[in-house]
Amino acid sequence: MGLVLEDPILEIVSGVLLLFCICYWYITTSYDYWNKRGVPFIKPEFPFGSIKDVILAKNVAGKVHEKFYKQFPNERFYGIMEFLTPTLVLRDPDLIKVVMVKDFQYFTDRGTVIGNRTEYIMKHLVNLVGQEWKDMRAKLTPTFTSGKIKLMFALMEKCSEQLHVLLMDEIKQGKIVDVKNVLSKFTMDVIASCAFGVDTNALTKEGETFFGVVKGPAFKSMKFKIVRILSLAFPSLIDFLRLNKVRPELRDFLTNMVRDSVEYRRKNNIKRNDFVDLLMNIKYTKGSWEENGDVNSKSDDKISGALTIEEMTAQSFVFFLAGFETASSLMAFCLYELACHSEIQERLYQEIQEAMERNEGKITYQMMMEIPFLDQVINETLRLYGTAQNLNRRCTQPYKIPDSDLIVEKGMKVTIPLYALHHDPQYYPDPYEFKPERFTPEETKNRHPFVFLPFGEGPRNCIGMRFGLLQAKMGLTTVVLNFQVELSPGQEVPLTFNNQALVLTPANPILLKFSHRKNI
């Protein structure tokens, strides 16, 4: 007779052990990938590979990569394993420039897809790949020129007035201000007004309902966490299953908002000079976008004309997705640092005042462009607290790393560790100190341009950079011009970060004390 296990429990245990051994063998066989190619690498741990601390939320991704980065001070690149998938990490600024600009045609796609890209709301610029991305980028690029952004200034200004009123009310009530919460409402108003064409008034009690609906997680929390882990471990499986991670109610809410806005405008011939207007007017043909050098294409095909409601919703959604958390966090982190450094806050106030005097006492778009120190303060905040902790690109065809024997295989993810670069003392002495003078023209000129990449670089940089910066300038100018900001009693210094968040966000509320400037 053959060998048979008569105890059912023993059979189950044996089966589980056998399955574990198979999984262990399958996963660990890839762990010598970088060693075989002579590339320095972070030793992987079963079953997470090199990113155990990220998956288990023991630390934020930026700091985990910073730890890796410091282990290879003399290397241009090194390898890590994301579960059983090899990822190349670039450390050398010159090599980063080559990948992101000079040889961009090999790295046109982002390394990570957020959500199911077959769902129409996820067919936005961040997720699109290949020719679809080129065509959409071509259509959208003219809507984000400085001239078009300038047209949205009046809408931002209205939102900033509501921010001023809310903060005055908070002061009268003697409240300590949760700046992240307040600035999230301001950002919500700006994005809703500019990207969806509606006035939400999230800064007022009447707008709290809207804020509550839309501020809820764009992705189902538990499902998103599970899918996020699976997407790192088995990316092809996620694509095959086509899992939808956006809340259906949010998707339908935004779609109906765009549809109602478009139909009302067409019916009543209304113009608001916002993003919706620009999307409605898109009619692009071959040749009209190639001149700006944003994307290289030799296609003779005509780029399709007007966008559908679904396409408009997707592009407006990425406005919300990319701009809501990032802009509010940037302003909150900045006000925290200004509260910690009263002398920097006072200098910024004086320079804003002088800019206003040059513009007849008015806050204007041109005035915003004439405050160099405001740019320095924002850039230093982006360096210290940039929401994007890493940049990812996907290799679209085999590529040989210059001056090396390494061939990057098609489909491999390439990572640029932004947080590590932005905190490298080689480029930024005392990297954890807040020093806006790092971004004077003289200092910037003497530093490699590819060690400061808060919005990415090259053809696939952040298309909404101008909009995001103007929004932040408007919010910060409104606050600094009218209020003095101090740390509240008990406010933690330094800040800690939320280890579970995809972008760099504070773990706890940033609580500041506001007082009205008497000479206003």
Side-chain angles (χ1 to χ4, degrees):
M1 292 180 63
L3 183 62
V4 177
L5 299 176
E6 296 181 355
D7 188 340
I9 296 179
L10 188 56
E11 288 185 8
I12 293 173
V13 171
S14 299
V16 171
L17 286 174
L18 178 61
L19 181 61
F20 175 82
C21 290
I22 293 173
C23 289
Y24 182 86
W25 172 82
Y26 178 72
I27 291 175
T28 58
T29 51
S30 63
Y31 282 0
D32 63 349
Y33 180 91
W34 293 116
N35 188 46
K36 286 182 177 179
R37 288 159 178 78
V39 175
F41 64 99
I42 298 296
K43 184 178 179 179
E45 297 179 61
F46 178 84
F48 306 103
S50 310
I51 56 173
K52 176 182 177 181
D53 287 352
V54 176
I55 298 302
L56 299 182
K58 291 185 176 181
N59 211 337
V60 295
K63 286 187 172 293
V64 172
H65 275 273
E66 183 184 30
K67 181 180 178 181
F68 298 160
Y69 179 94
K70 289 180 177 179
Q71 294 182 42
F72 305 103
N74 300 314
E75 301 293 342
R76 299 167 63 217
F77 53 84
Y78 55 92
I80 63 172
M81 298 296 297
E82 295 184 337
F83 284 93
L84 68 170
T85 304
T87 295
L88 184 68
V89 184
L90 307 184
R91 200 183 186 286
D92 174 46
D94 289 323
L95 181 56
I96 292 171
K97 180 178 180 180
V98 168
V99 166
M100 300 188 75
V101 180
K102 181 177 179 292
D103 291 336
F104 171 75
Q105 66 271 25
Y106 293 91
F107 301 93
T108 57
D109 298 342
R110 293 188 182 272
T112 304
V113 173
I114 304 173
N116 173 21
R117 54 186 164 201
T118 64
E119 169 128 8
Y120 73 82
I121 198 170
M122 302 310 294
K123 290 186 176 181
H124 51 66
L125 201 59
V126 173
N127 275 355
L128 293 177
V129 299
Q131 193 60 43
E132 280 189 306
W133 167 76
K134 289 183 180 181
D135 291 348
M136 186 58 71
R137 177 85 184 203
K139 291 180 178 183
L140 294 179
T141 293
T143 69
F144 285 95
T145 62
S146 57
K148 297 295 175 60
I149 298 300
K150 184 177 180 179
L151 295 176
M152 301 182 197
F153 182 81
L155 301 175
M156 292 187 187
E157 190 173 23
K158 181 180 177 181
C159 296
S160 72
E161 292 169 358
Q162 294 173 340
L163 173 62
H164 184 196
V165 171
L166 174 64
L167 290 174
M168 286 295 294
D169 187 56
E170 299 281 289
I171 289 175
K172 290 178 182 178
Q173 298 181 43
K175 292 182 179 179
I176 298 298
V177 178
D178 180 346
V179 291
K180 181 65 166 59
N181 184 57
V182 169
L183 293 170
S184 291
K185 294 180 178 181
F186 167 69
T187 305
M188 178 70 74
D189 277 349
V190 172
I191 292 176
S193 182
C194 295
F196 294 98
V198 296
D199 294 321
T200 58
N201 299 318
L203 287 160
T204 66
K205 291 183 178 180
E206 293 77 10
E208 287 181 356
T209 301
F210 174 90
F211 183 70
V213 171
V214 181
K215 186 181 182 293
F219 304 106
K220 297 179 181 178
S221 58
M222 183 53 66
K223 180 179 178 181
F224 179 66
K225 291 176 183 178
I226 294 173
V227 173
R228 175 171 170 261
I229 294 174
L230 289 176
S231 64
L232 289 170
F234 308 104
S236 58
L237 176 63
I238 297 303
D239 283 344
F240 176 76
L241 294 177
R242 296 184 176 181
L243 297 176
N244 295 326
K245 293 183 285 188
V246 178
R247 291 184 288 127
E249 60 269 28
L250 176 59
R251 177 199 61 209
D252 296 342
F253 180 81
L254 298 179
T255 304
N256 290 332
M257 187 185 297
V258 172
R259 180 180 290 108
D260 292 345
S261 180
V262 169
E263 290 178 353
Y264 182 78
R265 295 178 194 214
R266 286 174 176 167
K267 182 178 179 180
N268 296 280
N269 195 29
I270 290 176
K271 299 284 186 182
R272 287 183 89 245
N273 292 322
D274 59 8
F275 190 57
V276 175
D277 272 358
L278 298 174
L279 292 178
M280 290 172 64
N281 293 329
I282 284 178
K283 288 182 180 177
Y284 252 93
T285 57
K286 174 210 170 264
S288 57
W289 58 277
E290 293 176 358
E291 296 175 359
N292 62 30
D294 191 20
V295 182
N296 293 320
S297 174
K298 297 181 181 179
S299 172
D300 291 328
D301 296 332
K302 190 174 184 179
I303 298 174
S304 58
L307 300 181
T308 65
I309 293 296
E310 289 75 19
E311 288 176 320
M312 288 185 188
T313 302
Q315 306 318 313
S316 298
F317 175 61
V318 78
F319 224 119
F320 164 72
L321 192 67
F324 174 68
E325 189 65 51
T326 56
S328 57
S329 291
L330 166 60
M331 289 183 282
F333 283 131
C334 188
L335 290 178
Y336 162 79
E337 287 292 347
L338 292 177
C340 291
H341 301 86
S342 58
E343 71 287 357
I344 296 177
Q345 182 181 166
E346 188 61 26
R347 178 182 168 186
L348 180 59
Y349 166 71
Q350 294 295 338
E351 298 212 7
I352 292 174
Q353 277 280 64
E354 292 172 6
M356 284 191 65
E357 291 174 4
R358 294 194 298 269
N359 286 271
E360 301 178 349
K362 298 177 182 178
I363 297 179
T364 65
Y365 176 84
Q366 187 60 36
M367 167 204 155
M368 291 290 182
M369 303 299 110
E370 297 174 350
I371 315 175
F373 192 61
L374 177 58
D375 290 322
Q376 293 172 34
V377 167
I378 288 176
N379 283 339
E380 178 66 349
T381 305
L382 286 169
R383 183 193 68 81
L384 273 173
Y385 305 106
T387 50
Q389 302 172 69
N390 299 301
L391 282 178
N392 297 314
R393 294 291 183 266
R394 184 78 63 184
C395 186
T396 56
Q397 50 186 309
Y399 176 77
K400 183 179 181 297
I401 296 290
D403 302 319
S404 82
D405 297 325
L406 179 64
I407 302 296
V408 181
E409 298 176 347
K410 179 180 179 180
M412 178 176 287
K413 186 164 79 172
V414 174
T415 291
I416 294 97
L418 289 189
Y419 186 91
L421 281 168
H422 291 173
H423 293 78
D424 188 337
Q426 177 183 353
Y427 310 119
Y428 303 100
D430 302 317
Y432 296 96
E433 296 295 321
F434 184 74
K435 297 181 178 181
E437 61 269 21
R438 299 183 203 270
F439 290 93
T440 61
E442 297 77 19
E443 288 293 321
T444 301
K445 183 179 180 181
N446 292 330
R447 190 168 50 239
H448 197 295
F450 278 73
V451 297
F452 181 63
L453 304 167
F455 298 98
E457 192 50 83
R460 194 130 198 181
N461 67 346
C462 176
I463 195 172
M465 177 180 66
R466 290 189 182 95
F467 180 89
L469 287 175
L470 181 60
Q471 178 181 220
K473 287 181 179 182
M474 177 61 79
L476 292 171
T477 296
T478 299
V479 173
V480 173
L481 193 59
N482 295 283
F483 306 97
Q484 289 178 315
V485 187
E486 302 174 69
L487 295 175
S488 67
Q491 169 63 44
E492 66 172 0
V493 179
L495 295 175
T496 56
F497 304 122
N498 182 355
N499 294 344
Q500 298 185 18
L502 291 180
V503 297
L504 199 68
T505 53
N508 303 302
I510 297 177
L511 303 174
L512 302 180
K513 180 182 177 182
F514 284 66
S515 57
H516 192 240
R517 289 188 180 272
K518 304 301 182 182
N519 57 337
I520 296 295

